[in-house]
Amino acid sequence: MVTTLGPVRAAMAGERRMLTVAGLVGALASACAVALLGTAAWLIATAAGAPPVLTLTVAAVMVRAFALGRAFLRYGERLIGHDAALRGLTGLRVRVYCRLERLAPVGLAGFARGDLLTRLIADVDSALDLPLRVVLPWAQAALVSAGTVAFCIWLWPSAGLIVGCAVLAALVLTPWAAAAVASRSERRMAPSKALLASAVVTALDASADLIAFGEQSTATRRIAAIDAEVTALSRRSSAALGIGSGLGVLLQGLAVVGVLVAAIPAVLDGSLQPVWLAVLALLPLALFEVLAPLPGSALAYQRLRGSTGRLDALEAVADPVTEPALPLTVPAGFSGLELRGVSAGWAAGDVRALRGIDLRIRAGEHLAIVGPSGAGKSTLAAVLMGFVAYEGSIELNGIELSAAGSDGIRERIGLLAQRSHVFGTTIAENVRLGRPGFSDVQVWGALAAAQLDDSVRRMPGGLDAEVGPVGMRLSGGESQRLALARVLLDPPPLLILDEPTEHLDGATAQALERTIRTSTGGSTRITITHRLRGIDLDDHVVVLRDGRIEAEGSCRDLAAGDGWFAEQLRTERDELEMAELIAGLPVGVAVSRVPTSGQAAFRG
Amino acid sequence: MARSTRRYIVAVIITGVVTAVLVIVQARLLSGVIVDVSGNGLSWDLVSGAVGALALVFVARAVIAWGSEMLAVRASARAKEELRDATVRKVLATGPYGRAGSAPGEVATLVTRGIDGLDGYFARYLPQLVLAVIVPCAILLTLAGQDLLSALIVAVTIPLIPVFMILIGLYTKGQVERQWRTLAAVSTHVLDLIEGLPTLKIFGRAKEQAAAIRAMGDDYRSATVAVLRVSFLSSLALELLATLSIALVAVSVGLRLAEGQLTYATALFVLLLAPEAYLPLRLVGQHFHAAAEGVDAADRVFTILEPESELEVVSPGGAARVPEYLALRVSDASVRFDGRTDRALEPVSFEAVAGSVTALVGASGGGKTTLINAIMGFIPLTSGSMSVIASGGAVADLSDLDRRAWLSTVGWVPQRSRLIDSTAGSRTTIEGAIRLGAPHCGDDEVWAALRAAGIAEEVDGLPAGLRTEIQSGATGLSAGQLQRIALARALVRRPRLLLLDEPTAGLDNVSEAAVVNAVRRMADEGAIVIVVAHRPALVAIADAVVRIGGSRQSPASPESTESLEIELSAGSPLAVAVGEW
């Protein structure tokens, strides 16, 4: 069970200097605390011998100085330490996000939503404990202990050695014992809490389904069961913490009693001045207060290993695409795309979703890739967007895709996906996603092209209307039109349309497809669809089935055949009838069907 | 909860009293031994008994330290469990248009990290507070019996500590709240970014979001450091008061000892006791920040748990028995969301009867899905009503029906189903997803539902069959397959009312035909079927059509609808194509 704490250590390394300063200031604060009691003990023991008052004045001033020093130094240490650690934390959060960015979307398919959230927020937050609760307390305790023990040994070696042994045990043995009791529970704590968060998000996400099917209580029972496990783990941790602090008190007693046993005979036989007995006995009392947080810090370390283990796991997921070390630049514009023997699947060793595809598209050409759902059409889009690795060869403007690097590819190829994400911000910011500098006028233009401008005008705030979390306030059609406007704001040289009108009804979809055709007429276009209404008569059509090209040719040729294309065409003719039918219906009332000779007819 | 809490408080108080006694005894023994040896020169034999007793005191304190730790965490774990459970239940019941649907990330953070913050309050702050009352009082009494001046110094400074704490606590309260809001915003924003990562990558904006996250992190840091600066200031004040008072006591007893006003034994005893009076209070200060965070989270939780909380979106329903209904009647039902000027659903009226299919048609965004969600009770109607009609003609309003019993008669297929099993676990099998609809049905019923939904063959062809896992994300089964599994999930319950929202979206012709047949069959077997339809195949099997949305035109004249000859619209490219063939 070796965890490197690699990502956390790397992120905190940038703040090493300020953390060292915090450690030293903290050590001084602790030293003041020990010195305060030691000096006070000396003061009183000396005063008992009725010395001249001047002797005591120096000690009295020192006692007050240590009191002030302790309070102010501690304040400084905590402020400096927290600020530095929080800076490191931000670095770590960014690092984790960048990792997620590399993996998305294919590499993240195995992670549930709530789980990701926990990874990014909670696991990263817990990294704060490495400097604040583990390294700084332990380093301070070690420094102050070394100084105090050295002083005790100088006073009376055997007493000093006893204190040294007790302190060493408190520094090493106590944390070890606490960790041994709790190591499993603390390391399982972060995964269990992540599971809890993930279960809550999954259940809330599916709240409609759970309510509809009357299974809310089963879901909450499962959440309660996970929670019970978290509770059991924290009980075990508390047992460890209890053992740790109990051991601490025992060792303190050992040190105090040990000093008495060693020093009393020396005082009695006159080899040790009586004044020092009080100092020797009281120093361990103050010192062990500094050591008290160590069992807690040992547990924090264990917990940290659990959560960073999960960050490590994130780093260990294989990249879905290998990026070239020196990416070649894809020439601007579009001069051609050629696929030769391309195979691909969603994961390595997966059943191939695409098998030996040969395709060619020239500048200005419009290609339609059609076929039933599950034929591999979306996989092809993912390959072209650089989301999935492929075998064979794909050349864009004469450059092999795998040599160009996926960022370079996406500068030349745009995609309007089946389900584009709508961000929880304003309409304008959603449209401006790809081109942040574009003006409101241009945004309105894109909205008009996507036929969303009228709806946006009706929204309170217009362009600045908040769409709500995950676009909750938009209908499915509106969301998709918003996504279209995003693409139309600055159409890319090669545009892939992956069933953009899937969730729209016939009339809106048709109008929208007309708009897509006119607004993207200039650029090269690949339309992916299982509905033929989205393609142009003069498109070059490729029929994809089971990952292979079944047929290829003009619309006319394919319609004359007897394949999937011709059958689909017949169905869609019926659909047009449907649009006509709806247009003639009254709104908001039922119209019932009367059987007529073979034709669908409805009567009010 | 109240009972276990009270027992816990009593245990904490007992621990506090025992600790105070042990502390005083320890100081007395230690100072006694030191003075006896170094002042009075007593022999080892005479003090060894006291040294042994001192060792025993340390052992007793160790046991107390161990026990109070166990006690605290146990009590707090229980309180946390109860709060979590209640919160999740309450939020989950608000449905997709309530808090459950709008901010799952925020709720998850509250339920995990927020409620964990209660540890700080319950397991640390509370017991320390009890100690902070008992121990100083006991020590003060003891000191007063030894040296009045020292007792006076301690008695004057100790009450200042809570005063400072209250003042500073009042000041930090708003800041803790602000810090929490920052954290919640960070959670929601990051979840949004992660979900939108594919889109961000397509538009080349994913990498630069790192900068946005860095900026958010900096915001969070400055908010946190602002809180810390003040809350550390409070502990600075406490430490300063405590250590300076100790120094004051030490110097004063030292000087008076030198002048012979005090005995060595008294002076040393006072020196050992004084810090112990402040220690519990200083620890209260240390735990105060964590406690404030925990209390803030608890407030948030209690807002959710309040009975009249405004989160309640899903209609709670009434107590009325669900009759053997034969029709669903929708009368002038309309919906308007808060903050929108236009209606999400214009008034609609129709009656769907058993044995028939009612198709909801119309332009996208017209309110078809809203109507389905209103029937499900996820969205309250703004005006109008919905009711079921029993065989005898009795009419029962949906809002009066027992919600659970009513929904158990409904089969629902939304546009985007979350295919989960009843535990809402992260790994759901096809079988588990379907049994959500009917937990106790046998394998043969599951297969029958799969056949009815037109996906049995495909499931049979999968290596793991019914036990195939439905992955999150779109990489496992195709959208069309998932859609049919969702249909099977609804069909397996043999519902009286079947609500389908575009069940054939994303399906090819063969699967579409299978689904259409299944829908017709359900109606023929006596179900009331209401289906949002975008395609003619579904409308073709409908007995009635309701157009939703669009301008409210006067109903077309009977002549024009009686027998409608349909022609292809001339403008569409496909129509042109078809015309040419």
Side-chain angles (χ1 to χ4, degrees):
Chain A
M1 199 61 178
V2 181
T3 11
T4 54
L5 294 179
V8 181
R9 271 224 305 258
M12 290 296 168
E15 312 300 327
R16 191 175 291 146
R17 230 180 55 202
M18 285 324 282
L19 288 173
T20 310
V21 171
L24 290 177
V25 172
L28 275 179
S30 303
C32 281
V34 177
L36 170 64
L37 198 60
T39 317
W42 183 87
L43 174 71
I44 286 170
T46 312
V53 175
L54 198 64
T55 326
L56 299 179
T57 320
V58 177
V61 170
M62 278 170 68
V63 165
R64 292 190 191 106
F66 286 138
L68 286 174
R70 169 190 169 155
F72 283 109
L73 288 169
R74 180 68 66 210
Y75 181 71
E77 177 235 345
R78 293 170 91 185
L79 221 50
I80 297 168
H82 276 78
D83 191 64
L86 282 168
R87 271 175 212 278
L89 189 68
T90 304
L92 181 62
R93 190 176 286 133
V94 170
R95 196 187 154 102
V96 170
Y97 171 81
C98 290
R99 182 70 201 135
L100 292 172
E101 192 272 332
R102 279 291 292 118
L103 294 177
V106 178
L108 298 182
F111 299 99
R113 280 179 62 203
D115 193 41
L116 277 183
L117 178 81
T118 322
R119 261 169 218 271
L120 211 59
I121 306 279
D123 287 358
V124 168
D125 279 2
S126 67
L128 215 51
D129 285 352
L130 181 66
L132 294 182
R133 294 200 57 194
V134 179
V135 177
L136 288 183
W138 202 88
Q140 288 172 30
L143 275 175
V144 176
S145 300
T148 311
V149 170
F151 181 73
C152 291
I153 288 177
W154 174 73
L155 278 181
W156 190 248
S158 64
L161 283 176
I162 289 171
V163 175
C165 288
V167 164
L168 201 63
L171 276 174
V172 180
L173 191 69
T174 316
W176 178 83
V181 172
S183 77
R184 251 176 51 126
S185 61
E186 283 297 324
R187 250 175 296 152
R188 272 170 48 201
M189 189 71 95
S192 295
K193 281 188 176 166
L195 191 63
L196 183 65
S198 161
V200 169
V201 171
T202 312
L204 295 185
D205 254 353
S207 64
D209 303 67
L210 288 169
I211 294 169
F213 291 93
E215 290 288 358
Q216 286 147 282
S217 55
T218 325
T220 47
R221 266 203 300 279
R222 170 167 178 268
I223 291 170
I226 298 172
D227 195 15
E229 197 190 311
V230 172
T231 303
L233 292 177
S234 62
R235 278 205 185 130
R236 204 167 158 77
S237 299
S238 75
L241 211 55
I243 287 171
S245 50
L247 260 181
V249 177
L250 270 186
L251 286 170
Q252 184 182 33
L254 185 75
V256 173
V257 173
V259 162
L260 291 177
V261 171
I264 285 174
V267 172
L268 290 176
D269 68 19
S271 51
L272 180 67
Q273 281 184 11
V275 172
W276 295 118
L277 181 64
V279 176
L280 273 175
L282 264 58
L283 278 181
L285 277 183
L287 182 58
F288 271 86
E289 225 174 272
V290 177
L291 301 178
L294 291 188
S297 99
L299 293 199
Y301 181 67
Q302 294 289 347
R303 209 171 305 146
L304 201 58
R305 291 199 348 179
S307 51
T308 51
R310 290 153 40 76
L311 292 179
D312 284 345
L314 196 61
E315 304 238 335
V317 176
D319 284 358
V321 177
T322 318
E323 295 288 337
L326 288 168
L328 299 177
T329 311
V330 182
F334 181 79
S335 56
L337 177 75
E338 187 164 358
L339 283 74
R340 280 187 299 266
V342 171
S343 299
W346 284 99
D350 195 0
V351 179
R352 307 265 88 173
L354 287 177
R355 285 173 268 186
I357 301 291
D358 294 303
L359 258 186
R360 188 162 189 189
I361 180 163
R362 293 181 199 82
E365 199 178 1
H366 293 169
L367 180 70
I369 297 173
V370 300
S373 55
K377 303 188 300 294
S378 292
T379 311
L380 184 56
V383 167
L384 292 179
M385 292 308 292
F387 288 154
V388 181
Y390 62 88
E391 289 158 22
S393 157
I394 305 177
E395 278 184 10
L396 172 66
N397 295 353
I399 303 289
E400 185 67 32
L401 281 194
S402 55
S406 51
D407 287 339
I409 300 169
R410 290 190 284 265
E411 278 173 23
R412 305 285 175 250
I413 307 181
L415 172 73
L416 180 58
Q418 251 174 41
R419 280 174 186 178
S420 297
H421 184 77
V422 175
F423 292 90
T425 168
T426 63
I427 295 279
E429 281 195 51
N430 264 296
V431 175
R432 264 197 278 258
L433 183 72
R435 299 287 178 271
F438 275 39
S439 70
D440 280 3
V441 179
Q442 285 164 308
V443 170
W444 276 118
L447 286 171
Q451 300 183 334
L452 191 62
D453 50 339
D454 286 343
S455 311
V456 172
R457 267 188 209 101
R458 278 199 301 273
M459 293 176 190
L463 278 190
D464 296 324
E466 293 278 343
V467 295
V470 211
M472 272 301 283
R473 283 183 210 140
L474 298 179
S475 74
E478 285 172 328
S479 305
Q480 205 56 1
R481 275 180 269 168
L482 188 64
L484 175 66
R486 214 181 255 164
V487 175
L488 295 180
L489 187 63
D490 185 18
L494 171 61
L495 176 61
I496 301 175
L497 302 163
D498 189 359
E499 315 231 23
T501 61
E502 180 54 38
H503 293 285
L504 307 188
D505 63 282
T508 318
Q510 241 179 44
L512 190 54
E513 274 150 11
R514 255 196 300 276
T515 322
I516 292 175
R517 267 188 290 276
T518 50
S519 59
T520 63
S523 54
T524 316
R525 197 173 63 208
I526 299 177
T527 307
I528 290 175
T529 179
H530 71 281
R531 320 279 298 157
L532 302 183
R533 69 182 180 203
I535 64 179
D536 254 337
L537 192 55
D538 52 351
D539 282 356
H540 182 71
V541 179
V542 172
V543 181
L544 211 58
R545 273 193 110 163
D546 295 328
R548 290 202 174 85
I549 295 181
E550 183 192 69
E552 193 174 352
S554 70
C555 280
R556 211 167 266 107
D557 296 344
L558 291 170
D562 58 353
W564 179 87
F565 189 91
E567 192 197 324
Q568 179 70 19
L569 196 61
R570 278 190 288 279
T571 324
E572 292 190 23
R573 271 173 62 187
D574 301 342
E575 223 169 297
L576 283 174
E577 299 175 8
M578 161 104 179
E580 288 292 319
L581 175 73
I582 291 173
L585 290 177
V587 175
V589 291
V591 180
S592 50
R593 176 197 181 95
V594 289
T596 55
S597 54
Q599 279 288 353
F602 292 90
R603 192 169 64 184
Chain B
M1 192 162 115
R3 190 144 176 229
S4 59
T5 309
R6 211 173 307 136
R7 219 178 315 160
Y8 167 60
I9 302 269
V10 169
V12 166
I13 291 173
I14 293 171
T15 320
V17 172
V18 175
T19 307
V21 170
L22 287 174
V23 162
I24 294 167
V25 171
Q26 179 190 315
R28 166 63 73 203
L29 286 172
L30 185 56
S31 61
V33 170
I34 292 171
V35 171
D36 282 346
V37 173
S38 59
N40 309 335
L42 291 190
S43 74
W44 170 247
D45 292 340
L46 291 173
V47 295
S48 62
V51 172
L54 190 61
L56 285 179
V57 169
F58 274 110
V59 171
R61 286 191 71 180
V63 171
I64 292 276
W66 171 77
S68 55
E69 196 68 52
M70 304 284 284
L71 196 68
V73 178
R74 259 155 217 256
S76 115
R78 188 186 195 96
K80 274 159 48 186
E81 257 182 21
E82 285 166 17
L83 273 181
R84 272 196 189 122
D85 192 49
T87 312
V88 170
R89 267 168 210 285
K90 182 84 181 220
V91 174
L92 188 58
T94 63
Y97 287 82
R99 187 175 282 217
S102 66
E106 197 183 321
V107 175
T109 310
L110 179 63
V111 163
T112 49
R113 278 169 43 81
I115 292 182
D116 271 347
L118 281 180
D119 267 344
Y121 180 77
F122 217 63
R124 306 265 162 259
Y125 185 67
L126 201 61
Q128 204 57 54
L129 206 58
V130 172
L131 282 182
V133 173
I134 297 174
V135 175
C137 287
I139 289 177
L140 208 55
L141 284 174
T142 318
L143 278 181
Q146 298 286 323
D147 174 30
L148 267 179
L149 186 60
S150 300
L152 201 66
I153 293 173
V154 175
V156 168
T157 50
I158 276 190
L160 285 179
I161 290 177
V163 169
F164 267 93
M165 261 169 52
I166 290 165
L167 284 179
I168 292 168
L170 285 177
Y171 183 67
T172 26
K173 196 172 161 22
Q175 286 185 314
V176 170
E177 216 161 278
R178 195 174 68 116
Q179 188 213 9
W180 173 267
R181 269 201 300 276
T182 317
L183 179 61
V186 170
S187 306
T188 309
H189 192 99
V190 168
L191 187 62
D192 197 21
L193 285 181
I194 293 172
E195 289 221 298
L197 258 177
T199 306
L200 287 168
K201 284 180 89 165
I202 289 167
F203 286 92
R205 295 286 303 277
K207 291 221 163 61
E208 67 189 70
Q209 294 309 315
I213 291 181
R214 186 178 292 283
M216 273 190 313
D218 282 339
D219 279 354
Y220 178 52
R221 177 174 59 83
S222 56
T224 308
V225 171
V227 174
L228 293 182
R229 199 170 290 137
V230 179
S231 88
F232 289 167
L233 204 62
S234 72
S235 46
L236 170 68
L238 307 187
E239 291 237 349
L240 213 52
L241 266 175
T243 44
L244 273 182
S245 312
I246 295 166
L248 221 58
V249 168
V251 171
S252 119
V253 293
L255 294 181
R256 279 180 294 141
L257 173 60
E259 289 164 12
Q261 294 174 18
L262 281 177
T263 63
Y264 184 18
T266 311
L268 202 56
F269 183 48
V270 168
L271 175 68
L272 281 173
L273 267 188
E276 298 286 355
Y278 294 96
L279 187 63
L281 276 167
R282 273 181 29 226
L283 291 179
V284 167
Q286 268 180 28
H287 297 311
F288 181 75
H289 171 59
E293 224 174 55
V295 169
D296 195 54
D299 272 354
R300 241 157 253 282
V301 169
F302 288 132
T303 321
I304 289 178
L305 292 180
E306 266 169 28
E308 67 277 14
S309 154
E310 283 174 22
L311 296 162
E312 212 69 62
V313 172
V314 171
S315 129
R321 209 179 54 80
V322 180
E324 297 277 316
Y325 59 93
L326 291 174
L328 174 79
R329 179 183 290 162
V330 176
S331 319
D332 270 326
S334 77
V335 172
R336 189 202 305 269
F337 286 121
D338 292 340
R340 288 285 290 243
T341 49
D342 51 345
R343 287 200 186 96
L345 173 66
E346 294 290 340
V348 56
S349 303
F350 65 91
E351 202 171 299
V353 297
S356 76
V357 174
T358 303
L360 306 180
V361 298
S364 137
K368 300 186 294 292
T369 300
T370 307
L371 176 58
I372 296 278
N373 281 325
I375 297 173
M376 290 298 291
F378 296 145
I379 305 173
L381 288 182
T382 311
S383 69
S385 67
M386 293 181 296
S387 47
V388 288
I389 301 165
S391 47
V395 177
D397 200 283
L398 286 196
S399 54
D400 296 333
L401 297 181
D402 173 53
R403 173 119 245 118
R404 217 184 134 86
W406 151 246
L407 286 176
S408 74
T409 67
V410 180
W412 174 67
V413 182
Q415 264 182 42
R416 291 186 193 183
S417 296
R418 297 281 184 190
L419 288 172
I420 40 154
D421 58 24
S422 58
T423 61
S426 52
R427 291 174 185 279
T428 305
T429 61
I430 292 177
E431 183 182 25
I434 289 174
R435 287 219 166 90
L436 180 73
H440 304 299
C441 72
D443 273 6
D444 47 337
E445 286 167 88
V446 171
W447 281 112
L450 286 168
R451 265 195 302 281
I455 192 167
E457 273 180 41
E458 280 152 86
V459 172
D460 203 27
L462 294 167
L466 277 184
R467 281 169 192 78
T468 304
E469 275 185 21
I470 300 167
Q471 280 184 315
S472 73
T475 53
L477 299 156
S478 78
Q481 288 170 325
L482 294 177
Q483 186 67 2
R484 279 174 288 156
I485 291 171
L487 179 63
R489 175 178 80 169
L491 295 182
V492 79
R493 326 179 82 187
R494 313 231 124 249
R496 188 163 299 149
L497 172 63
L498 192 57
L499 294 174
L500 307 158
D501 197 349
E502 292 187 45
T504 56
L507 300 192
D508 58 53
N509 295 339
V510 180
S511 0
E512 178 177 32
V515 169
V516 168
N517 288 337
V519 170
R520 185 66 243 179
R521 206 173 321 119
M522 285 303 290
D524 292 342
E525 287 171 15
I528 306 167
V529 178
I530 298 175
V531 55
V532 174
H534 276 174
R535 301 221 206 157
L538 266 175
V539 178
I541 57 147
D543 301 289
V545 175
V546 182
R547 185 177 171 196
I548 309 266
S551 55
R552 184 156 211 184
Q553 298 158 342
S554 58
S557 58
E559 292 91 327
S560 66
T561 50
E562 201 158 333
S563 174
L564 206 90
E565 274 296 323
I566 293 169
E567 288 174 3
L568 294 169
S569 70
S572 94
L574 196 72
V576 175
V578 172
E580 286 181 12
W581 293 323

